[in-house]
Structures are given as structure tokens and as C-alpha cells.
Amino acid sequence: MTNAGIVQLSIFQFSLIYLLLIVVLAIMKKANVNQTKLLIVASVRMTVQLTLAGFVLTYIFENPSPLFTSLYLLTMTLFAIHRALSKNKWLNKSFKWAVALSLAGSGLIILAFFVIVVVRVDFFNPQYTIPLSGMIMGNAMTGVNLGLKSFKDNFSSQRKRVETLLNLGVKPKKILLPFSQNALETALLPTLNNMVGMGIISLPGMMTGQILSGTAPTTAILYQIAIMIAIATVVCLATFSTLNLGIRTLYNDRNQIEFLHEN
Amino acid sequence: MDIIKTKDLVFEDFIRYPDIYIKKGKVVFLVGSSGSGKSTLLKLFNATLSPSSGAIFYEGKNIDEIDTLKLRQEVLLVGQSVYLFDGSIKDNFNRFYSYREMNMPNEEEIKYFLSICQLDFPLETQTSILSGGEAQRLYTAIFLSFLPKVIMLDEPTSALDTQNAKSLLRDIIKLAKTKEMTVIVVSHDKNLSDEFAEDIIDIEGSKTI
């Protein structure tokens, strides 16, 4: 039962993998890790969500249309924005807009460059645009989250520094800049470290998938390198833009940092 | 002449201040029980906070019409949030002056400001080894070295014993007199206000609405 080089899994074969969860359950029980419920919920949710995604993607691939691709992109972008915002409840309204615009803008630009300029297929071709946008948006979201969290933590732990410099008559932008530089670095490091170990410590997910489905490894690495560069760029762009647009919302034209007294 | 005066000042609708007049070149103590809004008043003076109503005048001009950065540089608040950078005493002067985009004072001048604040350390001393009281005095020395027109000291002696507190204030006031600097002090220490205050403003009268 092969098709384009990959063994098609029957439902029976596939369900065997769930046996491994028994190992996890047993270890959890033995080690008193009380996360049995989470393990079950997580496994069920993953199964249901991916099954649904499978059906949706099958439908979209069989009926390719710019409308479906766009809807999928829109949903994914909104979901990424929603996740980033719900993890950073401290953001003011304008800062939230900064996050949304930065994620959507950077994600779409990098995706378009990848699909149109590098791969050179139609932007609405679901086979390329959908999986690539998932990787790009997901990583952009993680980067922005990390950047915002680092900015907030740093700011909160250095309130005295902010207050001192404000009292000295320093421009708020200049006071906040080191915090955003630091946050950008924090956001970028995991991606860069990931690139350093790539191919030695692990074969990355996308490449593994392509090889499993029969793609020549030499082609798979080209895609992998391309996506890693795209990811590093989108993380950098989205985080930079979020922080730069965002910190402007933290002070007013009286050079007051309202945020200082709120959080 | 009043360098700072206020009219019908209200903050966040719960602190209502009496009208305040601060004379140029004087040493003025702000007194009142804790929670009466003394520190808040200093932050209103340097416009890091805005009143909910009423007005503050600096040199006769409503501070709403003054560039807030320029105001803060002239009406300098030495707040209670002491912050020093890692590194030496000299590094700290360097960092703060570069934030203000000014050339840092030379070593002689730095030593002079340290001595006013009762500090006798080599400039290479790391700030991490300073005690709380020493850090607070270094912080004050750095602010003082900018020679503002008004210096506002919020509990400047909170980490000092009475003797040291008196020497510190005496020397700061001596400097202020030669530079025609107005000094506003918030302090709980009655010994200090008795000895140094040329004017005492009691904001106890400020009502919590």
C-alpha cells in the first residue's frame, strides 16, 4: 500500500500508536505527576482538531479556490493574534492593535515572498500557502509572545530605573528603548539557536515530513533552509514592529508613562 | 516671587490640595501624615503625573504650557525609588549624563558633589558594595550635580541617622544658597524641619474627598 513513496496507515495500524500513551500514563502514575487528565484531554483534542483540519484541507485541496485559501489564512491569522493577545493581558488597546497589525503584516509579507518570489506558484495555491503560512504565523506568534513577555518582565523589575530617568527629564522613548532591544534579542534567540543545531541534533519537522512522503532529501533541505530563514525573518520583523509601534502607546504627549502606575 | 504655586489642585478626585506658594530660593518643607499626598504633589510638580483638575504654575507659567522634559530638568525630583547602574560611581555619572546628552563633570567636580552628600569613596568604587544609605546619598549627589533651579527631595534621609541627616541637609542647603536653588523637602523628621525649614507647608489640610 504505497502512494508516492509513503506507507498509507490503516486506521488499525494508526491506532497502535496510542498504545505508547499507556507508557506515559504508567510513568505519570508511578512518579506522582497528577496530569493524567491533561494528557487525556490533550490527546483527544489533538486528535479531534487534526482530524477536522484534515477534512477541511482535503476539501480545500480538492476544490482549490482563492476564497477558501484566503479564509483559511484569515482564520489562522486571527487565531495567532488572539493567542498572542490572550497571553498578554496587560496590553493597552493601541498596543493590541500594534500586535495585530505587526503579526498580520509581517506574516503576510514573508509568506508572499516565499510563495510568489521563491517557490513561484500562485499565492492562492493551497498546497504551498496553507502549510507555509501555518509555520510562519505560528513562529511569528511565539516570537512576539516571547518578546512581549520579556519586555514586561524587564520593565516591571526595573521600575525604579524608569522612574529615575523620567524624573531626570529623559525622553520616554529613550528610556524604553533598551527594554525593547532586550526583548527583541530574547525573541530571536530560540530561532537562531535552533538553526545552529539543525541537521545535527535533529532533523526538523518539515524536512522529516517531506522525506517521509517521498521527496528527495536534497529538495527537502532546500525547503527546510528556506523556511528557517523565513521564520527567523518573520520573528524579527513581527517582534520589532510590535515593540516599536507598541512602546509609543505607553507614553503620552506630556511624556508620562501611564503604564508605570498601572501594572 | 513664587517659583511654584498651585490653584485648586485635585488629584484623582480624592486628594484636594490647599493652594500652595513656594518662594524662589527658599528651603521649603512639605509636611503631613503619610497618605496625605506629599510624594504625589512632587510628581505633579514635575508633571510625571497630571492633576485631575486645578493648575500648577512654574515661574508664573501654567505647566501645561511648558515642555515637560525641560520642566523636569529644571524642577528635579530626587524620588524614593533609588536606582543606580551596575559599575563604578564614575560609570554612574557617565550613564546618567549620557542619558541627559551632557558631558559628565570632571573628577574634581564629582568628588565635590559626593562630599556634599557625605560620601568619601574613590570614584572607582562599585555601586554594588554600597549600603542602602550610601546608595541613596550617591543617587542624591548625581541629581544635585545637574544643578537644577528647584531640587525636590522626597525623604532624602530615610536611611540615615539624625546626625548624618543633618550634615547632609546642611551641605545641600549651603550649595543651594550659592546657586540660588529652591529646595523642597518631604520629610517625616521634625528635627530636620525645625532646624532647616524657612517655610513649612502643611498639606494635612488636603482633604480626602
Side-chain angles (χ1 to χ4, degrees):
Chain A
M1 278 217 311
T2 57
N3 175 15
I6 193 164
V7 177
Q8 293 292 309
L9 291 177
S10 73
I11 294 290
F12 172 71
Q13 283 172 295
F14 164 70
S15 24
L16 292 178
I17 199 75
Y18 283 94
L19 289 176
L20 294 182
L21 289 178
I22 298 173
V23 177
V24 183
L25 274 175
I27 293 175
M28 278 178 148
K29 195 133 204 119
K30 183 94 187 146
N32 278 324
V33 178
N34 295 320
Q35 296 288 0
T36 321
K37 206 177 144 198
L38 181 63
L39 178 71
I40 293 169
V41 170
S43 310
V44 171
R45 273 194 64 161
M46 174 185 70
T47 308
V48 173
Q49 284 161 199
L50 284 179
T51 308
L52 284 177
F55 284 130
V56 171
L57 288 177
T58 306
Y59 184 81
I60 295 178
F61 285 179
E62 282 171 0
N63 307 278
S65 121
L67 178 68
F68 288 146
T69 310
S70 309
L71 275 178
Y72 199 96
L73 269 183
L74 182 70
T75 314
M76 191 149 35
T77 309
L78 290 179
F79 190 71
I81 293 169
H82 174 76
R83 281 287 301 267
L85 295 184
S86 64
K87 286 200 166 207
N88 293 284
K89 299 241 184 267
W90 55 276
L91 300 172
N92 65 42
K93 205 174 162 212
S94 313
F95 208 140
K96 285 182 180 160
W97 276 105
V99 173
L101 288 176
S102 305
L103 268 176
S106 324
L108 285 180
I109 290 169
I110 300 303
L111 177 68
F113 183 80
F114 201 122
V115 175
I116 299 168
V117 181
V118 178
V119 186
R120 301 194 182 202
V121 292
D122 179 16
F123 182 69
F124 295 107
N125 182 339
Q127 190 196 341
Y128 289 90
T129 293
I130 289 178
L132 290 174
S133 69
M135 295 186 77
I136 289 170
M137 275 299 171
N139 281 283
M141 182 193 77
T142 312
V144 166
N145 257 337
L146 214 55
L148 287 173
K149 188 177 174 329
S150 149
F151 179 84
K152 168 75 164 60
D153 289 352
N154 248 311
F155 184 95
S156 299
S157 66
Q158 301 219 46
R159 253 158 225 284
K160 288 180 173 177
R161 169 182 172 144
V162 177
E163 258 180 69
T164 295
L165 292 172
L166 264 189
N167 287 341
L168 269 179
V170 177
K171 279 196 191 91
K173 189 178 174 188
K174 203 168 164 186
I175 299 174
L176 294 173
L177 210 59
F179 295 108
S180 78
Q181 283 163 350
N182 211 306
L184 181 59
E185 198 181 322
T186 308
L188 266 174
L189 276 180
T191 309
L192 297 183
N193 281 327
N194 200 359
M195 284 164 80
V196 170
M198 194 148 282
I200 301 173
I201 300 166
S202 68
L203 287 185
M206 185 171 98
M207 188 169 145
T208 311
Q210 282 187 306
I211 293 175
L212 276 177
S213 66
T215 308
T218 41
T219 307
I221 59 157
L222 295 185
Y223 272 93
Q224 187 60 46
I225 292 168
I227 192 73
M228 282 315 295
I229 292 173
I231 286 171
T233 316
V234 82
V235 167
C236 188
L237 201 61
T239 313
F240 177 78
S241 157
T242 294
L243 292 167
N244 261 275
L245 295 174
I247 60 175
R248 278 160 218 260
T249 72
L250 296 179
Y251 54 88
N252 57 25
D253 52 9
R254 297 287 292 156
N255 293 305
Q256 294 165 337
I257 301 183
E258 285 149 20
F259 185 56
L260 193 63
H261 312 289
E262 289 163 8
N263 288 269
Chain B
M1 179 205 158
D2 297 321
I3 191 158
I4 295 176
K5 65 179 180 185
T6 70
K7 189 156 173 31
D8 303 330
L9 203 58
V10 179
F11 178 70
E12 298 246 304
D13 299 326
F14 61 84
I15 307 174
R16 183 180 291 271
Y17 292 99
D19 289 351
I20 290 164
Y21 303 89
I22 290 171
K23 288 199 173 57
K24 189 172 161 63
K26 293 280 181 204
V27 177
V28 181
F29 273 66
L30 285 179
V31 298
S33 55
S34 48
S36 57
K38 301 184 295 290
S39 296
T40 301
L41 185 62
L42 301 185
K43 290 176 184 170
L44 292 170
F45 284 170
N46 84 346
T48 47
L49 288 177
S50 289
S52 29
S53 67
I56 300 168
F57 299 87
Y58 170 64
E59 293 186 322
K61 208 170 169 189
N62 190 323
I63 65 164
D64 285 348
E65 290 154 22
I66 304 176
D67 172 40
T68 47
L69 300 180
K70 194 163 169 284
L71 175 74
R72 283 172 207 164
Q73 294 173 4
E74 287 187 14
V75 182
L76 192 61
L77 169 57
V78 188
Q80 291 187 49
S81 303
V82 172
Y83 178 85
L84 296 170
F85 291 100
D86 293 334
S88 66
I89 292 177
K90 198 175 167 186
D91 293 336
N92 267 273
F93 274 87
N94 193 3
R95 290 293 293 273
F96 282 115
Y97 272 79
S98 82
Y99 261 111
R100 276 279 292 263
E101 294 169 7
M102 289 166 73
N103 291 327
M104 70 183 265
N106 63 36
E107 298 204 352
E108 280 312 301
E109 289 166 325
I110 292 178
K111 282 192 179 139
Y112 168 68
F113 288 109
L114 292 180
S115 74
I116 287 176
C117 294
Q118 322 292 309
L119 288 171
D120 181 21
F121 286 106
L123 299 189
E124 306 308 326
T125 310
Q126 297 295 306
T127 55
S128 53
I129 65 157
L130 298 179
S131 71
E134 288 159 355
Q136 189 185 28
R137 277 176 284 156
L138 171 57
Y139 189 72
T140 308
I142 293 169
F143 274 72
L144 211 53
S145 72
F146 285 102
L147 296 172
K149 290 191 180 169
V150 180
I151 188 131
M152 306 194 285
L153 305 163
D154 194 355
E155 299 287 358
T157 59
S158 56
L160 298 180
D161 58 68
T162 310
Q163 208 45 52
N164 276 312
K166 282 188 174 175
S167 322
L168 173 71
L169 265 187
R170 188 174 298 120
D171 285 357
I172 290 178
I173 290 167
K174 206 160 86 190
L175 170 78
K177 290 299 172 194
T178 62
K179 303 285 178 188
E180 295 181 341
M181 201 187 286
T182 307
V183 182
I184 303 175
V185 187
V186 164
S187 175
H188 280 107
D189 192 342
K190 219 173 160 310
N191 289 317
L192 295 178
S193 48
D194 284 349
E195 183 162 349
F196 299 109
E198 294 170 334
D199 225 337
I200 294 182
I201 296 173
D202 187 354
I203 60 166
E204 199 57 69
S206 56
K207 291 178 204 67
T208 308
I209 308 165

mmCIF file of all heavy atoms in Angstrom, chain B residues 17-52:
data_model
loop_
_atom_site.group_PDB
_atom_site.id
_atom_site.type_symbol
_atom_site.label_atom_id
_atom_site.label_comp_id
_atom_site.label_asym_id
_atom_site.label_seq_id
_atom_site.Cartn_x
_atom_site.Cartn_y
_atom_site.Cartn_z
ATOM 1 N N TYR B 17 -5.719 69.530 47.309
ATOM 2 C CA TYR B 17 -4.637 70.254 47.979
ATOM 3 C C TYR B 17 -5.048 71.684 48.298
ATOM 4 O O TYR B 17 -5.784 72.310 47.517
ATOM 5 C CB TYR B 17 -3.395 70.292 47.082
ATOM 6 C CG TYR B 17 -2.738 68.945 46.879
ATOM 7 C CD1 TYR B 17 -2.983 68.196 45.735
ATOM 8 C CD2 TYR B 17 -1.868 68.422 47.840
ATOM 9 C CE1 TYR B 17 -2.379 66.957 45.539
ATOM 10 C CE2 TYR B 17 -1.267 67.190 47.653
ATOM 11 C CZ TYR B 17 -1.521 66.460 46.500
ATOM 12 O OH TYR B 17 -0.925 65.240 46.326
ATOM 13 N N PRO B 18 -4.543 72.209 49.422
ATOM 14 C CA PRO B 18 -4.715 73.651 49.635
ATOM 15 C C PRO B 18 -3.848 74.384 48.604
ATOM 16 O O PRO B 18 -2.923 73.784 48.069
ATOM 17 C CB PRO B 18 -4.169 73.865 51.052
ATOM 18 C CG PRO B 18 -3.227 72.738 51.287
ATOM 19 C CD PRO B 18 -3.740 71.579 50.480
ATOM 20 N N ASP B 19 -4.139 75.636 48.288
ATOM 21 C CA ASP B 19 -3.289 76.369 47.347
ATOM 22 C C ASP B 19 -1.911 76.560 47.975
ATOM 23 O O ASP B 19 -1.792 76.899 49.154
ATOM 24 C CB ASP B 19 -3.920 77.720 46.997
ATOM 25 C CG ASP B 19 -5.151 77.519 46.113
ATOM 26 O OD1 ASP B 19 -5.364 76.367 45.664
ATOM 27 O OD2 ASP B 19 -5.896 78.487 45.887
ATOM 28 N N ILE B 20 -0.883 76.298 47.180
ATOM 29 C CA ILE B 20 0.479 76.262 47.710
ATOM 30 C C ILE B 20 1.329 77.326 47.016
ATOM 31 O O ILE B 20 1.209 77.526 45.803
ATOM 32 C CB ILE B 20 1.077 74.850 47.477
ATOM 33 C CG1 ILE B 20 0.377 73.840 48.389
ATOM 34 C CG2 ILE B 20 2.587 74.837 47.720
ATOM 35 C CD1 ILE B 20 0.592 72.403 47.996
ATOM 36 N N TYR B 21 2.154 78.014 47.804
ATOM 37 C CA TYR B 21 3.053 79.033 47.249
ATOM 38 C C TYR B 21 4.467 78.713 47.698
ATOM 39 O O TYR B 21 4.732 78.620 48.892
ATOM 40 C CB TYR B 21 2.657 80.431 47.731
ATOM 41 C CG TYR B 21 1.228 80.774 47.378
ATOM 42 C CD1 TYR B 21 0.183 80.454 48.252
ATOM 43 C CD2 TYR B 21 0.923 81.391 46.167
ATOM 44 C CE1 TYR B 21 -1.132 80.732 47.921
ATOM 45 C CE2 TYR B 21 -0.393 81.677 45.830
ATOM 46 C CZ TYR B 21 -1.419 81.340 46.706
ATOM 47 O OH TYR B 21 -2.710 81.618 46.373
ATOM 48 N N ILE B 22 5.375 78.510 46.741
ATOM 49 C CA ILE B 22 6.767 78.207 47.092
ATOM 50 C C ILE B 22 7.657 79.327 46.573
ATOM 51 O O ILE B 22 7.668 79.632 45.371
ATOM 52 C CB ILE B 22 7.175 76.836 46.521
ATOM 53 C CG1 ILE B 22 6.415 75.743 47.298
ATOM 54 C CG2 ILE B 22 8.685 76.631 46.637
ATOM 55 C CD1 ILE B 22 6.539 74.375 46.718
ATOM 56 N N LYS B 23 8.366 79.952 47.525
ATOM 57 C CA LYS B 23 9.164 81.129 47.146
ATOM 58 C C LYS B 23 10.513 80.716 46.591
ATOM 59 O O LYS B 23 11.146 79.779 47.061
ATOM 60 C CB LYS B 23 9.364 82.031 48.369
ATOM 61 C CG LYS B 23 8.092 82.740 48.750
ATOM 62 C CD LYS B 23 8.378 83.955 49.631
ATOM 63 C CE LYS B 23 7.084 84.737 49.843
ATOM 64 N NZ LYS B 23 6.028 83.877 50.448
ATOM 65 N N LYS B 24 10.929 81.452 45.572
ATOM 66 C CA LYS B 24 12.204 81.177 44.911
ATOM 67 C C LYS B 24 13.373 81.283 45.895
ATOM 68 O O LYS B 24 13.441 82.196 46.697
ATOM 69 C CB LYS B 24 12.403 82.195 43.790
ATOM 70 C CG LYS B 24 13.562 81.919 42.864
ATOM 71 C CD LYS B 24 13.503 82.901 41.693
ATOM 72 C CE LYS B 24 14.800 83.059 40.948
ATOM 73 N NZ LYS B 24 15.364 81.987 40.277
ATOM 74 N N GLY B 25 14.254 80.287 45.838
ATOM 75 C CA GLY B 25 15.467 80.329 46.640
ATOM 76 C C GLY B 25 15.299 79.914 48.083
ATOM 77 O O GLY B 25 16.254 79.916 48.850
ATOM 78 N N LYS B 26 14.074 79.534 48.474
ATOM 79 C CA LYS B 26 13.841 79.157 49.873
ATOM 80 C C LYS B 26 14.004 77.656 50.094
ATOM 81 O O LYS B 26 13.994 76.867 49.149
ATOM 82 C CB LYS B 26 12.409 79.552 50.282
ATOM 83 C CG LYS B 26 12.167 81.031 50.319
ATOM 84 C CD LYS B 26 12.702 81.633 51.603
ATOM 85 C CE LYS B 26 12.418 83.140 51.645
ATOM 86 N NZ LYS B 26 13.342 83.844 52.525
ATOM 87 N N VAL B 27 14.136 77.293 51.360
ATOM 88 C CA VAL B 27 14.121 75.887 51.737
ATOM 89 C C VAL B 27 12.745 75.608 52.335
ATOM 90 O O VAL B 27 12.402 76.131 53.385
ATOM 91 C CB VAL B 27 15.214 75.580 52.784
ATOM 92 C CG1 VAL B 27 15.133 74.115 53.212
ATOM 93 C CG2 VAL B 27 16.584 75.913 52.224
ATOM 94 N N VAL B 28 11.969 74.812 51.610
ATOM 95 C CA VAL B 28 10.576 74.611 51.990
ATOM 96 C C VAL B 28 10.349 73.156 52.374
ATOM 97 O O VAL B 28 10.742 72.242 51.643
ATOM 98 C CB VAL B 28 9.645 74.972 50.803
ATOM 99 C CG1 VAL B 28 8.191 74.779 51.193
ATOM 100 C CG2 VAL B 28 9.901 76.402 50.348
ATOM 101 N N PHE B 29 9.763 72.935 53.515
ATOM 102 C CA PHE B 29 9.428 71.565 53.918
ATOM 103 C C PHE B 29 7.939 71.319 53.703
ATOM 104 O O PHE B 29 7.112 72.158 54.047
ATOM 105 C CB PHE B 29 9.771 71.331 55.404
ATOM 106 C CG PHE B 29 11.196 70.890 55.614
ATOM 107 C CD1 PHE B 29 12.248 71.742 55.335
ATOM 108 C CD2 PHE B 29 11.467 69.609 56.095
ATOM 109 C CE1 PHE B 29 13.570 71.329 55.520
ATOM 110 C CE2 PHE B 29 12.775 69.197 56.286
ATOM 111 C CZ PHE B 29 13.832 70.055 55.998
ATOM 112 N N LEU B 30 7.639 70.158 53.099
ATOM 113 C CA LEU B 30 6.247 69.741 52.964
ATOM 114 C C LEU B 30 5.978 68.732 54.061
ATOM 115 O O LEU B 30 6.673 67.720 54.159
ATOM 116 C CB LEU B 30 6.012 69.045 51.624
ATOM 117 C CG LEU B 30 5.934 69.877 50.354
ATOM 118 C CD1 LEU B 30 5.726 68.944 49.170
ATOM 119 C CD2 LEU B 30 4.807 70.886 50.440
ATOM 120 N N VAL B 31 5.010 69.017 54.905
ATOM 121 C CA VAL B 31 4.698 68.050 55.961
ATOM 122 C C VAL B 31 3.238 67.620 55.869
ATOM 123 O O VAL B 31 2.427 68.242 55.182
ATOM 124 C CB VAL B 31 5.011 68.619 57.361
ATOM 125 C CG1 VAL B 31 6.486 68.935 57.502
ATOM 126 C CG2 VAL B 31 4.173 69.868 57.633
ATOM 127 N N GLY B 32 2.929 66.567 56.565
ATOM 128 C CA GLY B 32 1.588 65.985 56.516
ATOM 129 C C GLY B 32 1.731 64.498 56.771
ATOM 130 O O GLY B 32 2.785 63.923 56.508
ATOM 131 N N SER B 33 0.676 63.886 57.293
ATOM 132 C CA SER B 33 0.795 62.467 57.633
ATOM 133 C C SER B 33 0.932 61.634 56.363
ATOM 134 O O SER B 33 0.682 62.119 55.263
ATOM 135 C CB SER B 33 -0.439 62.017 58.415
ATOM 136 O OG SER B 33 -1.587 62.308 57.680
ATOM 137 N N SER B 34 1.358 60.377 56.533
ATOM 138 C CA SER B 34 1.544 59.568 55.333
ATOM 139 C C SER B 34 0.189 59.315 54.681
ATOM 140 O O SER B 34 -0.825 59.145 55.363
ATOM 141 C CB SER B 34 2.257 58.258 55.653
ATOM 142 O OG SER B 34 1.663 57.642 56.753
ATOM 143 N N GLY B 35 0.204 59.354 53.359
ATOM 144 C CA GLY B 35 -1.050 59.198 52.634
ATOM 145 C C GLY B 35 -1.721 60.530 52.350
ATOM 146 O O GLY B 35 -2.763 60.581 51.706
ATOM 147 N N SER B 36 -1.117 61.636 52.843
ATOM 148 C CA SER B 36 -1.755 62.928 52.600
ATOM 149 C C SER B 36 -1.425 63.462 51.209
ATOM 150 O O SER B 36 -2.000 64.459 50.783
ATOM 151 C CB SER B 36 -1.345 63.939 53.678
ATOM 152 O OG SER B 36 0.060 64.057 53.715
ATOM 153 N N GLY B 37 -0.507 62.773 50.503
ATOM 154 C CA GLY B 37 -0.264 63.147 49.112
ATOM 155 C C GLY B 37 0.974 64.005 48.889
ATOM 156 O O GLY B 37 1.049 64.747 47.925
ATOM 157 N N LYS B 38 1.982 63.865 49.782
ATOM 158 C CA LYS B 38 3.187 64.685 49.632
ATOM 159 C C LYS B 38 3.998 64.246 48.409
ATOM 160 O O LYS B 38 4.370 65.067 47.575
ATOM 161 C CB LYS B 38 4.066 64.582 50.884
ATOM 162 C CG LYS B 38 3.354 65.031 52.164
ATOM 163 C CD LYS B 38 4.279 65.008 53.376
ATOM 164 C CE LYS B 38 4.754 63.615 53.747
ATOM 165 N NZ LYS B 38 3.696 62.742 54.301
ATOM 166 N N SER B 39 4.268 62.924 48.315
ATOM 167 C CA SER B 39 5.054 62.432 47.168
ATOM 168 C C SER B 39 4.310 62.675 45.868
ATOM 169 O O SER B 39 4.911 63.033 44.845
ATOM 170 C CB SER B 39 5.344 60.940 47.319
ATOM 171 O OG SER B 39 6.140 60.722 48.452
ATOM 172 N N THR B 40 2.996 62.492 45.914
ATOM 173 C CA THR B 40 2.182 62.735 44.717
ATOM 174 C C THR B 40 2.307 64.190 44.278
ATOM 175 O O THR B 40 2.429 64.479 43.080
ATOM 176 C CB THR B 40 0.708 62.386 45.009
ATOM 177 O OG1 THR B 40 0.646 61.019 45.389
ATOM 178 C CG2 THR B 40 -0.165 62.622 43.803
ATOM 179 N N LEU B 41 2.336 65.094 45.257
ATOM 180 C CA LEU B 41 2.445 66.518 44.917
ATOM 181 C C LEU B 41 3.741 66.790 44.145
ATOM 182 O O LEU B 41 3.751 67.523 43.161
ATOM 183 C CB LEU B 41 2.386 67.360 46.193
ATOM 184 C CG LEU B 41 2.377 68.879 45.988
ATOM 185 C CD1 LEU B 41 1.142 69.322 45.203
ATOM 186 C CD2 LEU B 41 2.431 69.616 47.320
ATOM 187 N N LEU B 42 4.845 66.151 44.581
ATOM 188 C CA LEU B 42 6.120 66.359 43.881
ATOM 189 C C LEU B 42 6.025 65.839 42.445
ATOM 190 O O LEU B 42 6.584 66.431 41.520
ATOM 191 C CB LEU B 42 7.268 65.663 44.626
ATOM 192 C CG LEU B 42 7.519 66.093 46.080
ATOM 193 C CD1 LEU B 42 8.773 65.405 46.623
ATOM 194 C CD2 LEU B 42 7.673 67.606 46.197
ATOM 195 N N LYS B 43 5.327 64.713 42.275
ATOM 196 C CA LYS B 43 5.173 64.157 40.919
ATOM 197 C C LYS B 43 4.255 65.020 40.059
ATOM 198 O O LYS B 43 4.381 65.041 38.835
ATOM 199 C CB LYS B 43 4.637 62.729 40.992
ATOM 200 C CG LYS B 43 5.672 61.754 41.560
ATOM 201 C CD LYS B 43 5.103 60.365 41.714
ATOM 202 C CE LYS B 43 6.146 59.445 42.366
ATOM 203 N NZ LYS B 43 5.571 58.158 42.741
ATOM 204 N N LEU B 44 3.349 65.734 40.704
ATOM 205 C CA LEU B 44 2.515 66.687 39.953
ATOM 206 C C LEU B 44 3.374 67.891 39.537
ATOM 207 O O LEU B 44 3.249 68.399 38.427
ATOM 208 C CB LEU B 44 1.335 67.152 40.801
ATOM 209 C CG LEU B 44 0.268 66.093 41.108
ATOM 210 C CD1 LEU B 44 -0.721 66.613 42.154
ATOM 211 C CD2 LEU B 44 -0.475 65.689 39.842
ATOM 212 N N PHE B 45 4.279 68.314 40.449
ATOM 213 C CA PHE B 45 5.151 69.446 40.144
ATOM 214 C C PHE B 45 6.042 69.166 38.940
ATOM 215 O O PHE B 45 6.326 70.053 38.153
ATOM 216 C CB PHE B 45 6.049 69.793 41.354
ATOM 217 C CG PHE B 45 5.338 70.529 42.467
ATOM 218 C CD1 PHE B 45 5.971 70.711 43.694
ATOM 219 C CD2 PHE B 45 4.057 71.049 42.283
ATOM 220 C CE1 PHE B 45 5.333 71.396 44.728
ATOM 221 C CE2 PHE B 45 3.400 71.729 43.322
ATOM 222 C CZ PHE B 45 4.049 71.900 44.548
ATOM 223 N N ASN B 46 6.525 67.926 38.805
ATOM 224 C CA ASN B 46 7.414 67.664 37.657
ATOM 225 C C ASN B 46 6.656 67.015 36.499
ATOM 226 O O ASN B 46 7.258 66.531 35.547
ATOM 227 C CB ASN B 46 8.656 66.867 38.077
ATOM 228 C CG ASN B 46 8.436 65.365 38.132
ATOM 229 O OD1 ASN B 46 7.302 64.882 38.102
ATOM 230 N ND2 ASN B 46 9.529 64.609 38.217
ATOM 231 N N ALA B 47 5.332 67.002 36.607
ATOM 232 C CA ALA B 47 4.454 66.539 35.521
ATOM 233 C C ALA B 47 4.699 65.094 35.110
ATOM 234 O O ALA B 47 4.462 64.732 33.968
ATOM 235 C CB ALA B 47 4.535 67.462 34.313
ATOM 236 N N THR B 48 5.166 64.258 36.046
ATOM 237 C CA THR B 48 5.150 62.827 35.720
ATOM 238 C C THR B 48 3.759 62.280 36.022
ATOM 239 O O THR B 48 3.409 61.195 35.592
ATOM 240 C CB THR B 48 6.226 62.018 36.486
ATOM 241 O OG1 THR B 48 6.204 62.371 37.866
ATOM 242 C CG2 THR B 48 7.609 62.282 35.926
ATOM 243 N N LEU B 49 2.990 63.061 36.795
ATOM 244 C CA LEU B 49 1.563 62.774 36.965
ATOM 245 C C LEU B 49 0.804 64.052 36.592
ATOM 246 O O LEU B 49 1.358 65.142 36.685
ATOM 247 C CB LEU B 49 1.243 62.415 38.425
ATOM 248 C CG LEU B 49 1.707 61.070 38.972
ATOM 249 C CD1 LEU B 49 1.342 60.962 40.449
ATOM 250 C CD2 LEU B 49 1.084 59.919 38.184
ATOM 251 N N SER B 50 -0.449 63.884 36.186
ATOM 252 C CA SER B 50 -1.268 65.068 35.887
ATOM 253 C C SER B 50 -2.385 65.175 36.910
ATOM 254 O O SER B 50 -2.940 64.159 37.322
ATOM 255 C CB SER B 50 -1.883 64.948 34.495
ATOM 256 O OG SER B 50 -0.889 65.097 33.521
ATOM 257 N N PRO B 51 -2.721 66.403 37.317
ATOM 258 C CA PRO B 51 -3.855 66.555 38.236
ATOM 259 C C PRO B 51 -5.161 66.296 37.509
ATOM 260 O O PRO B 51 -5.216 66.412 36.286
ATOM 261 C CB PRO B 51 -3.749 68.021 38.662
ATOM 262 C CG PRO B 51 -3.038 68.703 37.556
ATOM 263 C CD PRO B 51 -2.133 67.684 36.934
ATOM 264 N N SER B 52 -6.198 65.903 38.263
ATOM 265 C CA SER B 52 -7.491 65.736 37.580
ATOM 266 C C SER B 52 -8.154 67.095 37.373
ATOM 267 O O SER B 52 -8.929 67.268 36.444
ATOM 268 C CB SER B 52 -8.398 64.772 38.341
ATOM 269 O OG SER B 52 -8.153 64.780 39.716
#
